[in-house]
PDB file of all heavy atoms in Angstrom:
ATOM      1  N   PHE Y 325      -3.409   5.519  -2.150  1.00 98.00           N
ATOM      2  CA  PHE Y 325      -3.175   6.850  -2.747  1.00 98.00           C
ATOM      3  C   PHE Y 325      -2.228   7.725  -1.915  1.00 98.00           C
ATOM      4  O   PHE Y 325      -2.206   8.941  -2.078  1.00 98.00           O
ATOM      5  CB  PHE Y 325      -4.506   7.592  -2.981  1.00 98.00           C
ATOM      6  CG  PHE Y 325      -5.518   6.819  -3.788  1.00 98.00           C
ATOM      7  CD1 PHE Y 325      -6.883   6.972  -3.566  1.00 98.00           C
ATOM      8  CD2 PHE Y 325      -5.112   5.934  -4.776  1.00 98.00           C
ATOM      9  CE1 PHE Y 325      -7.821   6.273  -4.311  1.00 98.00           C
ATOM     10  CE2 PHE Y 325      -6.043   5.220  -5.534  1.00 98.00           C
ATOM     11  CZ  PHE Y 325      -7.393   5.392  -5.292  1.00 98.00           C
ATOM     12  N   GLN Y 351       1.913   2.370  -1.938  1.00 98.00           N
ATOM     13  CA  GLN Y 351       1.574   3.744  -2.347  1.00 98.00           C
ATOM     14  C   GLN Y 351       1.790   4.737  -1.208  1.00 98.00           C
ATOM     15  O   GLN Y 351       1.550   5.924  -1.380  1.00 98.00           O
ATOM     16  CB  GLN Y 351       0.101   3.812  -2.775  1.00 98.00           C
ATOM     17  CG  GLN Y 351      -0.228   2.864  -3.904  1.00 98.00           C
ATOM     18  CD  GLN Y 351      -1.696   2.920  -4.312  1.00 98.00           C
ATOM     19  OE1 GLN Y 351      -2.415   3.850  -3.976  1.00 98.00           O
ATOM     20  NE2 GLN Y 351      -2.129   1.919  -5.052  1.00 98.00           N
ATOM     21  N   PHE Y 353       4.591   5.252   0.964  1.00 98.00           N
ATOM     22  CA  PHE Y 353       5.912   5.694   1.425  1.00 98.00           C
ATOM     23  C   PHE Y 353       5.941   7.219   1.560  1.00 98.00           C
ATOM     24  O   PHE Y 353       5.597   7.930   0.616  1.00 98.00           O
ATOM     25  CB  PHE Y 353       7.005   5.213   0.457  1.00 98.00           C
ATOM     26  CG  PHE Y 353       8.393   5.363   1.005  1.00 98.00           C
ATOM     27  CD1 PHE Y 353       8.963   4.381   1.784  1.00 98.00           C
ATOM     28  CD2 PHE Y 353       9.124   6.522   0.753  1.00 98.00           C
ATOM     29  CE1 PHE Y 353      10.236   4.531   2.309  1.00 98.00           C
ATOM     30  CE2 PHE Y 353      10.398   6.681   1.268  1.00 98.00           C
ATOM     31  CZ  PHE Y 353      10.955   5.682   2.049  1.00 98.00           C
ATOM     32  N   PRO Y 379       8.091   2.880 -10.773  1.00 97.00           N
ATOM     33  CA  PRO Y 379       8.198   4.323 -11.052  1.00 97.00           C
ATOM     34  C   PRO Y 379       6.979   5.176 -10.673  1.00 97.00           C
ATOM     35  O   PRO Y 379       7.138   6.341 -10.334  1.00 97.00           O
ATOM     36  CB  PRO Y 379       8.443   4.348 -12.565  1.00 97.00           C
ATOM     37  CG  PRO Y 379       9.135   3.059 -12.848  1.00 97.00           C
ATOM     38  CD  PRO Y 379       8.525   2.052 -11.915  1.00 97.00           C
ATOM     39  N   ALA Y 380       5.781   4.605 -10.733  1.00 95.00           N
ATOM     40  CA  ALA Y 380       4.579   5.397 -10.438  1.00 95.00           C
ATOM     41  C   ALA Y 380       4.336   5.591  -8.942  1.00 95.00           C
ATOM     42  O   ALA Y 380       3.422   6.309  -8.558  1.00 95.00           O
ATOM     43  CB  ALA Y 380       3.361   4.732 -11.080  1.00 95.00           C
ATOM     44  N   LYS Y 381       5.120   4.974  -8.083  1.00 98.00           N
ATOM     45  CA  LYS Y 381       4.902   5.083  -6.630  1.00 98.00           C
ATOM     46  C   LYS Y 381       5.596   6.349  -6.092  1.00 98.00           C
ATOM     47  O   LYS Y 381       6.456   6.904  -6.764  1.00 98.00           O
ATOM     48  CB  LYS Y 381       5.442   3.839  -5.920  1.00 98.00           C
ATOM     49  CG  LYS Y 381       5.051   2.533  -6.559  1.00 98.00           C
ATOM     50  CD  LYS Y 381       3.579   2.178  -6.361  1.00 98.00           C
ATOM     51  CE  LYS Y 381       3.292   0.861  -7.082  1.00 98.00           C
ATOM     52  NZ  LYS Y 381       1.955   0.361  -6.846  1.00 98.00           N
ATOM     53  N   PRO Y 382       5.269   6.756  -4.864  1.00 98.00           N
ATOM     54  CA  PRO Y 382       5.871   8.001  -4.350  1.00 98.00           C
ATOM     55  C   PRO Y 382       7.407   8.019  -4.440  1.00 98.00           C
ATOM     56  O   PRO Y 382       7.984   9.000  -4.870  1.00 98.00           O
ATOM     57  CB  PRO Y 382       5.390   8.058  -2.901  1.00 98.00           C
ATOM     58  CG  PRO Y 382       4.083   7.341  -2.920  1.00 98.00           C
ATOM     59  CD  PRO Y 382       4.260   6.228  -3.937  1.00 98.00           C
ATOM     60  N   LEU Y 383       8.067   6.949  -4.030  1.00 98.00           N
ATOM     61  CA  LEU Y 383       9.524   6.843  -4.223  1.00 98.00           C
ATOM     62  C   LEU Y 383       9.756   5.772  -5.285  1.00 98.00           C
ATOM     63  O   LEU Y 383       9.684   4.580  -5.000  1.00 98.00           O
ATOM     64  CB  LEU Y 383      10.228   6.469  -2.913  1.00 98.00           C
ATOM     65  CG  LEU Y 383      11.746   6.280  -3.025  1.00 98.00           C
ATOM     66  CD1 LEU Y 383      12.460   7.568  -3.449  1.00 98.00           C
ATOM     67  CD2 LEU Y 383      12.339   5.772  -1.720  1.00 98.00           C
ATOM     68  N   GLY Y 384      10.023   6.216  -6.498  1.00 98.00           N
ATOM     69  CA  GLY Y 384      10.131   5.267  -7.610  1.00 98.00           C
ATOM     70  C   GLY Y 384      11.559   5.141  -8.104  1.00 98.00           C
ATOM     71  O   GLY Y 384      12.326   6.098  -8.070  1.00 98.00           O
ATOM     72  N   PHE Y 442      13.761  13.161  -1.793  1.00 98.00           N
ATOM     73  CA  PHE Y 442      12.367  12.812  -1.490  1.00 98.00           C
ATOM     74  C   PHE Y 442      11.656  13.798  -0.548  1.00 98.00           C
ATOM     75  O   PHE Y 442      10.513  14.190  -0.819  1.00 98.00           O
ATOM     76  CB  PHE Y 442      12.300  11.371  -0.948  1.00 98.00           C
ATOM     77  CG  PHE Y 442      10.913  10.857  -0.768  1.00 98.00           C
ATOM     78  CD1 PHE Y 442      10.123  10.543  -1.868  1.00 98.00           C
ATOM     79  CD2 PHE Y 442      10.374  10.699   0.499  1.00 98.00           C
ATOM     80  CE1 PHE Y 442       8.825  10.077  -1.710  1.00 98.00           C
ATOM     81  CE2 PHE Y 442       9.082  10.240   0.668  1.00 98.00           C
ATOM     82  CZ  PHE Y 442       8.301   9.926  -0.434  1.00 98.00           C
ATOM     83  N   PRO Y 443      12.310  14.248   0.549  1.00 97.00           N
ATOM     84  CA  PRO Y 443      11.603  15.191   1.443  1.00 97.00           C
ATOM     85  C   PRO Y 443      11.121  16.449   0.704  1.00 97.00           C
ATOM     86  O   PRO Y 443      10.012  16.916   0.935  1.00 97.00           O
ATOM     87  CB  PRO Y 443      12.659  15.518   2.505  1.00 97.00           C
ATOM     88  CG  PRO Y 443      13.555  14.310   2.521  1.00 97.00           C
ATOM     89  CD  PRO Y 443      13.620  13.860   1.089  1.00 97.00           C
ATOM     90  N   GLN Y 444      11.941  16.980  -0.196  1.00 96.00           N
ATOM     91  CA  GLN Y 444      11.529  18.164  -0.957  1.00 96.00           C
ATOM     92  C   GLN Y 444      10.387  17.817  -1.924  1.00 96.00           C
ATOM     93  O   GLN Y 444       9.440  18.590  -2.077  1.00 96.00           O
ATOM     94  CB  GLN Y 444      12.720  18.748  -1.731  1.00 96.00           C
ATOM     95  CG  GLN Y 444      12.393  20.051  -2.448  1.00 96.00           C
ATOM     96  CD  GLN Y 444      11.912  21.153  -1.499  1.00 96.00           C
ATOM     97  OE1 GLN Y 444      12.532  21.397  -0.456  1.00 96.00           O
ATOM     98  NE2 GLN Y 444      10.790  21.804  -1.815  1.00 96.00           N
ATOM     99  N   GLU Y 445      10.476  16.654  -2.550  1.00 96.00           N
ATOM    100  CA  GLU Y 445       9.397  16.234  -3.458  1.00 96.00           C
ATOM    101  C   GLU Y 445       8.071  16.136  -2.719  1.00 96.00           C
ATOM    102  O   GLU Y 445       7.017  16.488  -3.246  1.00 96.00           O
ATOM    103  CB  GLU Y 445       9.727  14.881  -4.102  1.00 96.00           C
ATOM    104  CG  GLU Y 445      10.757  14.972  -5.204  1.00 96.00           C
ATOM    105  CD  GLU Y 445      10.876  13.674  -5.999  1.00 96.00           C
ATOM    106  OE1 GLU Y 445       9.999  12.808  -5.894  1.00 96.00           O
ATOM    107  OE2 GLU Y 445      11.877  13.544  -6.731  1.00 96.00           O
ATOM    108  N   LEU Y 446       8.145  15.647  -1.476  1.00 97.00           N
ATOM    109  CA  LEU Y 446       6.927  15.513  -0.664  1.00 97.00           C
ATOM    110  C   LEU Y 446       6.301  16.875  -0.386  1.00 97.00           C
ATOM    111  O   LEU Y 446       5.081  17.040  -0.456  1.00 97.00           O
ATOM    112  CB  LEU Y 446       7.272  14.858   0.676  1.00 97.00           C
ATOM    113  CG  LEU Y 446       6.905  13.410   0.875  1.00 97.00           C
ATOM    114  CD1 LEU Y 446       7.223  12.993   2.300  1.00 97.00           C
ATOM    115  CD2 LEU Y 446       5.445  13.165   0.577  1.00 97.00           C
ATOM    116  N   ILE Y 447       7.144  17.850  -0.087  1.00 96.00           N
ATOM    117  CA  ILE Y 447       6.657  19.214   0.145  1.00 96.00           C
ATOM    118  C   ILE Y 447       5.976  19.724  -1.126  1.00 96.00           C
ATOM    119  O   ILE Y 447       4.876  20.275  -1.085  1.00 96.00           O
ATOM    120  CB  ILE Y 447       7.827  20.141   0.579  1.00 96.00           C
ATOM    121  CG1 ILE Y 447       8.339  19.716   1.962  1.00 96.00           C
ATOM    122  CG2 ILE Y 447       7.402  21.611   0.567  1.00 96.00           C
ATOM    123  CD1 ILE Y 447       9.652  20.363   2.390  1.00 96.00           C
ATOM    124  N   ASN Y 448       6.630  19.487  -2.267  1.00 96.00           N
ATOM    125  CA  ASN Y 448       6.057  19.941  -3.544  1.00 96.00           C
ATOM    126  C   ASN Y 448       4.724  19.257  -3.835  1.00 96.00           C
ATOM    127  O   ASN Y 448       3.770  19.907  -4.271  1.00 96.00           O
ATOM    128  CB  ASN Y 448       7.035  19.659  -4.692  1.00 96.00           C
ATOM    129  CG  ASN Y 448       8.329  20.440  -4.552  1.00 96.00           C
ATOM    130  OD1 ASN Y 448       8.465  21.298  -3.676  1.00 96.00           O
ATOM    131  ND2 ASN Y 448       9.284  20.140  -5.412  1.00 96.00           N
ATOM    132  N   ARG Y 449       4.652  17.962  -3.600  1.00 96.00           N
ATOM    133  CA  ARG Y 449       3.401  17.238  -3.840  1.00 96.00           C
ATOM    134  C   ARG Y 449       2.277  17.807  -2.980  1.00 96.00           C
ATOM    135  O   ARG Y 449       1.131  17.902  -3.413  1.00 96.00           O
ATOM    136  CB  ARG Y 449       3.571  15.752  -3.482  1.00 96.00           C
ATOM    137  CG  ARG Y 449       4.267  14.924  -4.539  1.00 96.00           C
ATOM    138  CD  ARG Y 449       4.643  13.568  -3.950  1.00 96.00           C
ATOM    139  NE  ARG Y 449       5.323  12.769  -4.945  1.00 96.00           N
ATOM    140  CZ  ARG Y 449       4.721  11.864  -5.726  1.00 96.00           C
ATOM    141  NH1 ARG Y 449       3.444  11.618  -5.600  1.00 96.00           N
ATOM    142  NH2 ARG Y 449       5.409  11.200  -6.619  1.00 96.00           N
ATOM    143  N   ASN Y 450       2.618  18.154  -1.746  1.00 96.00           N
ATOM    144  CA  ASN Y 450       1.590  18.712  -0.870  1.00 96.00           C
ATOM    145  C   ASN Y 450       1.148  20.097  -1.334  1.00 96.00           C
ATOM    146  O   ASN Y 450      -0.015  20.464  -1.168  1.00 96.00           O
ATOM    147  CB  ASN Y 450       2.049  18.699   0.590  1.00 96.00           C
ATOM    148  CG  ASN Y 450       1.742  17.340   1.224  1.00 96.00           C
ATOM    149  OD1 ASN Y 450       0.601  17.067   1.569  1.00 96.00           O
ATOM    150  ND2 ASN Y 450       2.738  16.471   1.305  1.00 96.00           N
ATOM    151  N   LYS Y 451       2.070  20.850  -1.955  1.00 96.00           N
ATOM    152  CA  LYS Y 451       1.682  22.152  -2.536  1.00 96.00           C
ATOM    153  C   LYS Y 451       0.728  21.943  -3.711  1.00 96.00           C
ATOM    154  O   LYS Y 451      -0.231  22.694  -3.889  1.00 96.00           O
ATOM    155  CB  LYS Y 451       2.928  22.910  -3.014  1.00 96.00           C
ATOM    156  CG  LYS Y 451       3.706  23.555  -1.885  1.00 96.00           C
ATOM    157  CD  LYS Y 451       4.781  24.468  -2.482  1.00 96.00           C
ATOM    158  CE  LYS Y 451       5.814  24.838  -1.449  1.00 96.00           C
ATOM    159  NZ  LYS Y 451       7.066  25.288  -2.077  1.00 96.00           N
ATOM    160  N   VAL Y 452       1.031  20.922  -4.523  1.00 96.00           N
ATOM    161  CA  VAL Y 452       0.152  20.614  -5.656  1.00 96.00           C
ATOM    162  C   VAL Y 452      -1.241  20.254  -5.135  1.00 96.00           C
ATOM    163  O   VAL Y 452      -2.261  20.746  -5.632  1.00 96.00           O
ATOM    164  CB  VAL Y 452       0.733  19.461  -6.517  1.00 96.00           C
ATOM    165  CG1 VAL Y 452      -0.247  19.057  -7.616  1.00 96.00           C
ATOM    166  CG2 VAL Y 452       2.080  19.852  -7.124  1.00 96.00           C
ATOM    167  N   ALA Y 453      -1.275  19.421  -4.084  1.00 97.00           N
ATOM    168  CA  ALA Y 453      -2.562  18.999  -3.504  1.00 97.00           C
ATOM    169  C   ALA Y 453      -3.328  20.214  -2.968  1.00 97.00           C
ATOM    170  O   ALA Y 453      -4.543  20.324  -3.170  1.00 97.00           O
ATOM    171  CB  ALA Y 453      -2.332  17.975  -2.392  1.00 97.00           C
ATOM    172  N   ASP Y 454      -2.624  21.134  -2.328  1.00 96.00           N
ATOM    173  CA  ASP Y 454      -3.282  22.345  -1.794  1.00 96.00           C
ATOM    174  C   ASP Y 454      -3.873  23.178  -2.931  1.00 96.00           C
ATOM    175  O   ASP Y 454      -4.972  23.718  -2.814  1.00 96.00           O
ATOM    176  CB  ASP Y 454      -2.283  23.204  -1.001  1.00 96.00           C
ATOM    177  CG  ASP Y 454      -1.898  22.547   0.327  1.00 96.00           C
ATOM    178  OD1 ASP Y 454      -2.589  21.590   0.739  1.00 96.00           O
ATOM    179  OD2 ASP Y 454      -0.902  22.988   0.938  1.00 96.00           O
ATOM    180  N   LYS Y 455      -3.128  23.262  -4.024  1.00 95.00           N
ATOM    181  CA  LYS Y 455      -3.619  24.065  -5.158  1.00 95.00           C
ATOM    182  C   LYS Y 455      -4.845  23.398  -5.788  1.00 95.00           C
ATOM    183  O   LYS Y 455      -5.831  24.066  -6.100  1.00 95.00           O
ATOM    184  CB  LYS Y 455      -2.504  24.258  -6.180  1.00 95.00           C
ATOM    185  CG  LYS Y 455      -2.898  25.168  -7.334  1.00 95.00           C
ATOM    186  CD  LYS Y 455      -1.705  25.941  -7.866  1.00 95.00           C
ATOM    187  CE  LYS Y 455      -2.021  26.709  -9.156  1.00 95.00           C
ATOM    188  NZ  LYS Y 455      -2.677  27.998  -8.906  1.00 95.00           N
ATOM    189  N   TYR Y 456      -4.770  22.071  -5.952  1.00 96.00           N
ATOM    190  CA  TYR Y 456      -5.936  21.347  -6.474  1.00 96.00           C
ATOM    191  C   TYR Y 456      -7.156  21.595  -5.584  1.00 96.00           C
ATOM    192  O   TYR Y 456      -8.250  21.847  -6.068  1.00 96.00           O
ATOM    193  CB  TYR Y 456      -5.652  19.842  -6.509  1.00 96.00           C
ATOM    194  CG  TYR Y 456      -4.951  19.327  -7.755  1.00 96.00           C
ATOM    195  CD1 TYR Y 456      -4.088  18.227  -7.669  1.00 96.00           C
ATOM    196  CD2 TYR Y 456      -5.195  19.859  -9.016  1.00 96.00           C
ATOM    197  CE1 TYR Y 456      -3.455  17.703  -8.790  1.00 96.00           C
ATOM    198  CE2 TYR Y 456      -4.573  19.337 -10.145  1.00 96.00           C
ATOM    199  CZ  TYR Y 456      -3.708  18.262 -10.030  1.00 96.00           C
ATOM    200  OH  TYR Y 456      -3.116  17.741 -11.138  1.00 96.00           O
ATOM    201  N   SER Y 475      -0.276  12.866   3.868  1.00 98.00           N
ATOM    202  CA  SER Y 475      -0.315  11.982   2.697  1.00 98.00           C
ATOM    203  C   SER Y 475       0.914  12.217   1.843  1.00 98.00           C
ATOM    204  O   SER Y 475       1.410  13.344   1.749  1.00 98.00           O
ATOM    205  CB  SER Y 475      -1.571  12.258   1.857  1.00 98.00           C
ATOM    206  OG  SER Y 475      -1.560  11.459   0.687  1.00 98.00           O
ATOM    207  N   SER Y 476       1.401  11.161   1.188  1.00 98.00           N
ATOM    208  CA  SER Y 476       2.501  11.332   0.229  1.00 98.00           C
ATOM    209  C   SER Y 476       1.950  11.437  -1.197  1.00 98.00           C
ATOM    210  O   SER Y 476       2.707  11.485  -2.145  1.00 98.00           O
ATOM    211  CB  SER Y 476       3.508  10.193   0.348  1.00 98.00           C
ATOM    212  OG  SER Y 476       2.884   8.958   0.115  1.00 98.00           O
ATOM    213  N   TRP Y 477       0.613  11.470  -1.326  1.00 98.00           N
ATOM    214  CA  TRP Y 477      -0.066  11.736  -2.600  1.00 98.00           C
ATOM    215  C   TRP Y 477       0.450  10.884  -3.756  1.00 98.00           C
ATOM    216  O   TRP Y 477       0.888  11.409  -4.784  1.00 98.00           O
ATOM    217  CB  TRP Y 477       0.036  13.232  -2.965  1.00 98.00           C
ATOM    218  CG  TRP Y 477      -0.607  14.113  -1.964  1.00 98.00           C
ATOM    219  CD1 TRP Y 477      -0.002  14.962  -1.098  1.00 98.00           C
ATOM    220  CD2 TRP Y 477      -2.029  14.234  -1.694  1.00 98.00           C
ATOM    221  NE1 TRP Y 477      -0.943  15.598  -0.311  1.00 98.00           N
ATOM    222  CE2 TRP Y 477      -2.193  15.170  -0.659  1.00 98.00           C
ATOM    223  CE3 TRP Y 477      -3.177  13.622  -2.238  1.00 98.00           C
ATOM    224  CZ2 TRP Y 477      -3.427  15.515  -0.136  1.00 98.00           C
ATOM    225  CZ3 TRP Y 477      -4.418  13.979  -1.712  1.00 98.00           C
ATOM    226  CH2 TRP Y 477      -4.531  14.913  -0.685  1.00 98.00           C
ATOM    227  N   ALA Y 478       0.386   9.581  -3.572  1.00 98.00           N
ATOM    228  CA  ALA Y 478       0.684   8.688  -4.696  1.00 98.00           C
ATOM    229  C   ALA Y 478      -0.271   9.005  -5.844  1.00 98.00           C
ATOM    230  O   ALA Y 478       0.101   8.945  -7.021  1.00 98.00           O
ATOM    231  CB  ALA Y 478       0.529   7.235  -4.270  1.00 98.00           C
ATOM    232  N   GLN Y 479      -1.509   9.342  -5.502  1.00 97.00           N
ATOM    233  CA  GLN Y 479      -2.511   9.765  -6.482  1.00 97.00           C
ATOM    234  C   GLN Y 479      -3.291  10.921  -5.891  1.00 97.00           C
ATOM    235  O   GLN Y 479      -3.460  10.994  -4.670  1.00 97.00           O
ATOM    236  CB  GLN Y 479      -3.502   8.627  -6.805  1.00 97.00           C
ATOM    237  CG  GLN Y 479      -2.862   7.368  -7.352  1.00 97.00           C
ATOM    238  CD  GLN Y 479      -2.204   7.583  -8.692  1.00 97.00           C
ATOM    239  OE1 GLN Y 479      -2.474   8.554  -9.400  1.00 97.00           O
ATOM    240  NE2 GLN Y 479      -1.294   6.691  -9.050  1.00 97.00           N
ATOM    241  N   TYR Y 480      -3.785  11.810  -6.758  1.00 98.00           N
ATOM    242  CA  TYR Y 480      -4.759  12.821  -6.325  1.00 98.00           C
ATOM    243  C   TYR Y 480      -6.091  12.421  -6.939  1.00 98.00           C
ATOM    244  O   TYR Y 480      -6.287  12.516  -8.156  1.00 98.00           O
ATOM    245  CB  TYR Y 480      -4.341  14.218  -6.773  1.00 98.00           C
ATOM    246  CG  TYR Y 480      -5.206  15.273  -6.107  1.00 98.00           C
ATOM    247  CD1 TYR Y 480      -4.882  15.774  -4.851  1.00 98.00           C
ATOM    248  CD2 TYR Y 480      -6.372  15.731  -6.723  1.00 98.00           C
ATOM    249  CE1 TYR Y 480      -5.680  16.709  -4.226  1.00 98.00           C
ATOM    250  CE2 TYR Y 480      -7.180  16.670  -6.098  1.00 98.00           C
ATOM    251  CZ  TYR Y 480      -6.830  17.150  -4.856  1.00 98.00           C
ATOM    252  OH  TYR Y 480      -7.627  18.073  -4.222  1.00 98.00           O
ATOM    253  N   MET Y 540      -0.106  13.993 -10.658  1.00 96.00           N
ATOM    254  CA  MET Y 540       0.452  14.356  -9.350  1.00 96.00           C
ATOM    255  C   MET Y 540       1.913  13.946  -9.296  1.00 96.00           C
ATOM    256  O   MET Y 540       2.247  12.777  -9.426  1.00 96.00           O
ATOM    257  CB  MET Y 540      -0.347  13.648  -8.239  1.00 96.00           C
ATOM    258  CG  MET Y 540       0.274  13.704  -6.862  1.00 96.00           C
ATOM    259  SD  MET Y 540       0.699  15.329  -6.229  1.00 96.00           S
ATOM    260  CE  MET Y 540      -0.872  15.934  -5.612  1.00 96.00           C
ATOM    261  N   HIS Y 541       2.796  14.930  -9.147  1.00 94.00           N
ATOM    262  CA  HIS Y 541       4.211  14.650  -8.887  1.00 94.00           C
ATOM    263  C   HIS Y 541       4.867  15.922  -8.366  1.00 94.00           C
ATOM    264  O   HIS Y 541       4.215  16.981  -8.313  1.00 94.00           O
ATOM    265  CB  HIS Y 541       4.920  14.102 -10.134  1.00 94.00           C
ATOM    266  CG  HIS Y 541       4.815  14.973 -11.345  1.00 94.00           C
ATOM    267  ND1 HIS Y 541       5.625  16.052 -11.541  1.00 94.00           N
ATOM    268  CD2 HIS Y 541       3.971  14.926 -12.414  1.00 94.00           C
ATOM    269  CE1 HIS Y 541       5.321  16.626 -12.697  1.00 94.00           C
ATOM    270  NE2 HIS Y 541       4.299  15.972 -13.248  1.00 94.00           N
ATOM    271  N   GLY Y 542       6.101  15.814  -7.980  1.00 93.00           N
ATOM    272  CA  GLY Y 542       6.760  16.930  -7.311  1.00 93.00           C
ATOM    273  C   GLY Y 542       7.371  17.966  -8.244  1.00 93.00           C
ATOM    274  O   GLY Y 542       8.079  18.862  -7.782  1.00 93.00           O
ATOM    275  N   TYR Y 543       7.123  17.832  -9.538  1.00 92.00           N
ATOM    276  CA  TYR Y 543       7.768  18.756 -10.489  1.00 92.00           C
ATOM    277  C   TYR Y 543       6.744  19.387 -11.424  1.00 92.00           C
ATOM    278  O   TYR Y 543       7.025  19.633 -12.592  1.00 92.00           O
ATOM    279  CB  TYR Y 543       8.856  18.016 -11.287  1.00 92.00           C
ATOM    280  CG  TYR Y 543       9.923  17.453 -10.378  1.00 92.00           C
ATOM    281  CD1 TYR Y 543       9.807  16.163  -9.857  1.00 92.00           C
ATOM    282  CD2 TYR Y 543      11.017  18.234  -9.997  1.00 92.00           C
ATOM    283  CE1 TYR Y 543      10.757  15.661  -8.978  1.00 92.00           C
ATOM    284  CE2 TYR Y 543      11.971  17.733  -9.127  1.00 92.00           C
ATOM    285  CZ  TYR Y 543      11.840  16.443  -8.627  1.00 92.00           C
ATOM    286  OH  TYR Y 543      12.777  15.961  -7.754  1.00 92.00           O
ATOM    287  N   VAL Y 547       3.865  25.045  -9.748  1.00 73.00           N
ATOM    288  CA  VAL Y 547       3.576  24.676  -8.360  1.00 73.00           C
ATOM    289  C   VAL Y 547       4.805  23.995  -7.784  1.00 73.00           C
ATOM    290  O   VAL Y 547       5.448  23.203  -8.461  1.00 73.00           O
ATOM    291  CB  VAL Y 547       2.389  23.674  -8.275  1.00 73.00           C
ATOM    292  CG1 VAL Y 547       1.866  23.604  -6.845  1.00 73.00           C
ATOM    293  CG2 VAL Y 547       1.309  24.009  -9.249  1.00 73.00           C
ATOM    294  N   GLY Y 548       5.104  24.269  -6.554  1.00 56.00           N
ATOM    295  CA  GLY Y 548       6.209  23.574  -5.885  1.00 56.00           C
ATOM    296  C   GLY Y 548       7.507  23.707  -6.650  1.00 56.00           C
ATOM    297  O   GLY Y 548       7.992  24.805  -6.889  1.00 56.00           O
ATOM    298  N   GLY Y 549       8.046  22.597  -7.061  1.00 51.00           N
ATOM    299  CA  GLY Y 549       9.392  22.602  -7.624  1.00 51.00           C
ATOM    300  C   GLY Y 549       9.465  22.979  -9.098  1.00 51.00           C
ATOM    301  O   GLY Y 549      10.539  23.052  -9.668  1.00 51.00           O
TER     302      GLY Y 549
END
Side-chain angles (χ1 to χ4, degrees):
F325 306 148
Q351 302 179 16
F353 193 87
K381 314 288 178 174
L383 178 63
F442 187 71
Q444 185 59 48
E445 284 191 15
L446 256 185
I447 293 169
N448 296 353
R449 280 168 181 265
N450 275 283
K451 283 189 195 160
V452 175
D454 289 346
K455 184 149 172 82
Y456 274 149
S475 176
S476 59
W477 299 110
Q479 301 296 342
Y480 190 86
M540 168 54 81
H541 56 81
Y543 300 90
V547 195

